[in-house]
Amino acid sequence: MAKSQRHLLLNLAGILLVFLVLLLFERHGSLYQVRILNNMAIFITLAVSYNLVNGICGLLHLGPNAFITIGAYTSALLTMTANEKMMNFIIEPLIWPLSVVHAPFVLSLLAGGLLASLFAFLISFPVLRVRGDYLAIVTLGFGEVVRVLCNAFQSVTNGPLGLKGLSPYTNLWWTWGVAIFTIAVTTKLVNSSYGRAMKAIREDETAARAMGIDPFKHLLLAFLVSAFFSGVAGGLLAHLITTISPTLFTFFFTFNLLIIIVVGGLGSTTGAVLGAALFAWGGEALRVVESPIDLGFLRIPGIPGMRMVIFSIILMGVIIFARRGMMGRSEFSWDALWARLHRPAR
Amino acid sequence: MRRTSFIALIAVMFLVAGALSPAVAADTIKIGLYLPMTGAVAAYGQMEWDGIQIANAMMPEVLGKKIELVLVDTKSDKIEAANAVSRLIEKEKVVGILGEAISGNSMAGNPISEAAKVPTVSPTATNPLVNQGKNYAFRACFIDPFQGQVAAQFARDKLKAGSAAVIIDIAQDYCVGLANFFVKEFVKLGGKVVSTTYIQTGDQDFSAQLSAVQATKPDIIYAPNYYTEDALMAKQARDLGINVPILTGDGAQADALIEVGGKAVENMYFTGHFHKDAASTERSKEYIKRFKEQKGKEADAFGALGADAYFLLVESIKAAGTTDGTKVRDALAAVKDFQGVSGVITMGESGNPVKSMVINKVENGKFAFVTVINP
């Protein structure tokens, strides 16, 4: 069997395995476990798409919260019925076309992603003119601008009151479907000539330019794809927690994503997946350290915030012992797994 | 293989954390708390946790069983708040929930407890949207429309104000809500709003807004913002020579206001939930005494409302005679003339209490009690 064919089969088997696990949880898991799995998939989508710009292209982009906000608001405003909107907008009514439009969930997600991409396209002209720290500052600025606009445009976003009562459309199939699709598209892109060009730009932009690569075109592509999936994930997130407000999408959201991809390994999609899964699951698993622990002879009172201390220690551990994150720039591959399994025991 | 061993180390740490499940005492009634103990509004969560602990000491048992409090931190974040409620219901199997401290997070938690039919009492989520359309969601505080209305009545009747300048922190749903309801009622009562200006949480310089206010010569300034902004704003207003009374909401009533504002915040008026000198019930007297003894400081409004949320839930479990969610919910909805810490509470429509409001002011560097306004 040809190698690529074998890989395809293995990939499909992997997806089938994920599908079976999800089915198991949907049938027999508690809602709490399902919620964590949903969070995990959304964070995987966000981390993988964020990693495309930060890790693969090497741009220190600090504004994914802008794309997520746009995706979340767009999709929320589209799925809410006219009646729900009226109940939400108690201070200033929603402006006309938005107050009556209504779309099914899948269209609203697409619209969220497309609008986020459109915004990414518009800001890419100023953003991609600069590099390094300056790019970080410009994108950080746009992230804040979007949040402030959400606060200010009461007749569109309901301002700081936020939106509530969204229908909980998000389920395991949506979140994991989108996550797997995102991973597939990103991997295809990274392994294509476009992806190699992006990596070349990351390593040495001048050299890449000398080889005939147009940096703007390639970075823009990464930016648009990343914004699209961030927007879709924002829509999924909105319909998972069923309420959104500008305070959800502060810089800290971006900061969490940055931690995820740094711990996972900047430039590695596998690392982004692992980092996101660890973040979403670990945050809940570590709640134990915040609850009172009775060791029989010693009773330790719960200290809120201990989780964050442990997260910080892990982060410091990564910085000291595995400077390039859990995966470095390596990716998961079936061949490597095969080789490892068949290596003679030492 | 340094990296592999490091990954293994992290995995082991998580497994150990998972194995260390907290010891569970048998035969207790579990009440879940989801509060912002860390993050942007950690101060509120901590104050409420203090109050709930005192309340728990005052009433440690119900239906002959010991009450066990399960506290879960929300990091002041919506995603975490939703996780927390889910965890409390599914993993900890609590019979009722107290929280969250702020409205945005309560809105993330309430749909989950509603679906599971677990009654929830929030101490301080004042946004009217929080309980809208919910059967199992209650709160111990009054809602923003009521506070805004009372502020307007107080401004018209007691302060004899004909015109008001409103300064709103548009980054906070709480401030926007209050200001809006104040304006509606103030205009209805024949007052005139001569200027409306906007600030943002974190602003340091308010000279542009204050110059606009000064030009219109209002009788009062209504600035329903949080204490940091209100303290700085009051200082700059007095420096500019604006000496009209400033009226604000309960969010400004924190010791830090006086520390930062100093003389400038003298005579600032507050509409609020609680003042220890306004204590009218036996329960509040006992609470204030215990709070002072155990925490070494004066009782504050957040703690008092936390305690009230606890008492409301526990008394309703007692009245229902069971921990069945639906029956406790019915008992909560039927609460009438309840002797709480922050006053007498009657549960009104859609889980929003009808209760008296206190007006406080800063006098000689302390919060002094002015009057009580009954609904």
Side-chain angles (χ1 to χ4, degrees):
Chain A
M1 206 182 328
K3 210 170 174 186
S4 64
Q5 233 176 338
R6 195 174 66 211
H7 285 177
L8 184 68
L9 275 180
L10 283 170
N11 283 341
L12 287 177
I15 291 174
L16 190 69
L17 187 69
V18 172
F19 176 81
L20 287 176
V21 169
L22 292 181
L23 194 68
L24 193 73
F25 271 102
E26 202 196 24
R27 290 281 160 81
H28 303 291
S30 71
L31 286 173
Y32 175 55
Q33 289 163 333
V34 170
R35 179 165 287 274
I36 295 176
L37 283 175
N38 277 326
N39 280 340
M40 206 183 266
I42 291 174
F43 273 100
I44 286 175
T45 311
L46 289 172
V48 168
S49 58
Y50 186 40
N51 183 53
L52 181 62
V53 176
N54 271 36
I56 309 292
C57 299
L59 300 177
L60 183 56
H61 152 53
L62 296 179
N65 56 336
F67 305 145
I68 304 165
T69 317
I70 292 173
Y73 270 101
T74 308
S75 130
L77 283 171
L78 283 176
T79 59
M80 287 169 83
T81 60
N83 207 1
E84 282 168 347
K85 284 173 187 163
M86 236 160 63
M87 274 165 58
N88 265 279
F89 287 74
I90 49 172
I91 290 179
E92 273 188 46
L94 185 59
I95 52 168
W96 169 67
L98 286 175
S99 60
V100 286
V101 289
H102 180 71
F105 184 50
V106 57
L107 283 185
S108 82
L109 286 183
L110 279 177
L114 288 175
L115 219 67
S117 281
L118 179 69
F119 177 75
F121 178 72
L122 293 178
I123 68 167
S124 65
F125 292 92
V127 165
L128 295 179
R129 291 177 77 96
V130 289
R131 289 292 183 273
D133 303 349
Y134 301 100
L135 185 132
I137 295 168
V138 175
T139 48
L140 178 71
F142 277 114
E144 280 298 289
V145 164
V146 169
R147 195 178 58 79
V148 170
L149 288 182
C150 283
N151 263 330
F153 283 145
Q154 285 223 324
S155 52
V156 179
T157 62
N158 210 15
L161 285 174
L163 301 172
K164 71 137 210 173
L166 312 179
S167 309
Y169 290 122
T170 302
N171 58 26
L172 283 176
W173 310 117
W174 277 116
T175 52
W176 283 91
V178 169
I180 290 171
F181 185 66
T182 310
I183 295 171
V185 170
T186 313
T187 314
K188 272 276 174 223
L189 181 66
V190 170
N191 292 334
S192 69
S193 67
Y194 291 104
R196 285 191 289 277
M198 287 169 194
K199 285 181 184 165
I201 296 166
R202 173 184 71 192
E203 297 307 331
D204 190 333
E205 192 169 337
T206 319
R209 214 187 269 267
M211 298 299 287
I213 295 170
D214 177 2
F216 181 80
K217 196 178 91 185
H218 288 91
L219 296 180
L220 178 64
L221 178 68
F223 215 52
L224 293 184
V225 171
S226 170
F228 179 80
F229 286 119
S230 301
V232 172
L236 287 172
L237 186 64
H239 290 87
L240 177 68
I241 51 181
T242 70
T243 168
I244 49 172
S245 69
T247 49
L248 176 57
F249 307 105
T250 56
F251 174 66
F252 287 101
F253 203 104
T254 299
F255 191 62
N256 282 339
L257 292 179
L258 196 59
I259 291 177
I260 288 172
I261 61 172
V262 168
V263 169
L266 266 179
S268 164
T269 304
T270 316
V273 172
L274 286 180
L278 192 70
F279 177 84
W281 173 69
E284 286 301 309
L286 282 175
R287 276 194 194 279
V288 176
V289 300
E290 292 186 1
S291 56
I293 300 169
D294 203 345
L295 294 174
F297 56 94
L298 180 69
R299 200 175 153 79
I300 308 165
I303 305 166
M306 275 305 280
R307 279 185 297 160
M308 295 303 107
V309 174
I310 291 184
F311 257 111
S312 315
I313 292 173
I314 291 176
L315 191 65
M316 278 189 274
V318 168
I319 301 295
I320 295 169
F321 297 110
R323 202 158 299 159
R324 295 172 64 204
M326 282 157 49
M327 294 299 293
R329 275 178 186 166
S330 353
E331 296 288 357
F332 169 81
S333 85
W334 295 108
D335 290 338
L337 188 71
W338 187 257
R340 175 161 288 198
L341 287 178
H342 283 75
R343 197 169 49 186
R346 268 180 290 181
Chain B
M1 282 287 102
R2 221 170 177 189
R3 186 182 295 144
T4 321
S5 53
F6 183 72
I7 295 174
L9 183 72
I10 294 181
V12 168
M13 273 171 64
F14 276 96
L15 283 178
V16 170
L20 273 178
S21 303
V24 182
D27 228 26
T28 55
I29 286 183
K30 277 188 170 184
I31 291 183
L33 279 64
Y34 71 122
L35 294 171
M37 300 302 288
T38 57
V41 289
Y44 301 154
Q46 283 159 7
M47 286 191 275
E48 280 165 27
W49 173 228
D50 281 349
I52 293 171
Q53 281 174 310
I54 302 282
N56 182 235
M58 284 167 68
M59 199 173 174
E61 280 187 9
V62 68
L63 308 179
K65 288 182 189 171
K66 197 171 170 299
I67 296 172
E68 187 187 340
L69 297 177
V70 185
L71 173 67
V72 177
D73 176 27
T74 65
K75 278 166 67 188
S76 314
D77 176 81
K78 279 190 178 52
I79 304 174
E80 291 266 338
N83 288 349
V85 172
S86 207
R87 182 186 178 93
L88 285 173
I89 294 172
E90 304 258 343
K91 197 143 185 280
E92 306 285 356
K93 312 267 182 225
V94 299
V95 300
I97 294 176
L98 306 178
E100 226 261 6
I102 60 170
S103 301
N105 295 347
S106 296
M107 284 193 233
N110 277 348
I112 299 163
S113 47
E114 181 82 12
K117 296 191 169 29
V118 173
T120 308
V121 186
S122 166
T124 48
T126 54
N127 180 333
L129 293 178
V130 171
N131 289 357
Q132 196 186 55
K134 297 275 182 286
N135 274 322
Y136 289 80
F138 296 86
R139 48 186 145 201
C141 53
F142 41 67
I143 54 173
D144 292 340
F146 179 57
Q147 193 176 165
Q149 277 169 17
V150 171
Q153 286 160 12
F154 178 76
R156 283 294 288 153
D157 299 345
K158 299 276 163 40
L159 296 177
K160 309 281 176 217
S163 59
V166 185
I167 301 178
I168 312 167
D169 182 346
I170 50 160
Q172 304 288 346
D173 57 344
Y174 157 83
C175 308
V176 175
L178 267 189
N180 246 281
F181 298 112
F182 171 86
V183 169
K184 268 189 197 155
E185 184 75 9
F186 193 70
V187 172
K188 205 173 96 190
L189 293 173
K192 211 175 140 204
V193 176
V194 286
S195 93
T196 309
T197 44
Y198 303 99
I199 61 168
Q200 285 256 2
T201 307
D203 280 0
Q204 302 278 329
D205 177 29
F206 305 102
S207 44
Q209 289 89 345
L210 288 168
S211 318
V213 168
Q214 197 170 24
T216 57
K217 295 200 184 348
D219 293 338
I220 60 155
I221 294 176
Y222 186 58
N225 308 319
Y226 285 108
Y227 53 88
T228 322
E229 285 72 28
D230 264 4
L232 290 172
M233 190 212 66
K235 261 187 135 153
Q236 292 171 23
R238 301 309 182 219
D239 288 346
L240 276 172
I242 306 174
N243 284 317
V244 299
I246 299 175
L247 177 61
T248 173
D250 59 313
Q253 197 181 333
D255 292 336
L257 178 97
I258 297 175
E259 281 161 29
V260 177
K263 280 206 109 45
V265 294
E266 275 290 306
N267 285 326
M268 191 184 250
Y269 290 91
F270 308 85
T271 49
H273 302 269
F274 174 76
H275 191 282
K276 65 177 180 57
D277 293 345
S280 56
T281 65
E282 281 305 310
R283 190 171 264 157
S284 61
K285 281 174 193 141
E286 158 127 27
Y287 171 83
I288 289 163
K289 199 175 117 246
R290 284 198 186 215
F291 196 94
K292 179 109 196 201
E293 275 169 19
Q294 286 178 30
K295 305 285 173 188
K297 56 188 176 189
E298 297 293 348
D300 53 71
F302 283 95
L305 289 167
D308 268 349
Y310 176 86
F311 286 128
L312 278 168
L313 183 62
V314 175
E315 291 277 13
S316 297
I317 293 175
K318 202 166 147 192
T322 165
T323 53
D324 178 72
T326 313
K327 297 209 171 93
V328 175
R329 183 250 156 226
D330 291 341
L332 267 166
V335 162
K336 196 163 185 298
D337 297 328
F338 177 86
Q339 302 291 309
V341 173
S342 63
V344 180
I345 300 172
T346 296
M347 203 52 82
E349 257 177 68
S350 57
N352 299 326
V354 178
K355 59 192 275 198
S356 53
M357 178 179 294
V358 292
I359 306 264
N360 303 327
K361 74 178 210 180
V362 181
E363 208 172 69
N364 301 324
K366 282 213 165 63
F367 291 109
F369 166 63
V370 179
T371 179
V372 174
I373 295 184
N374 289 311

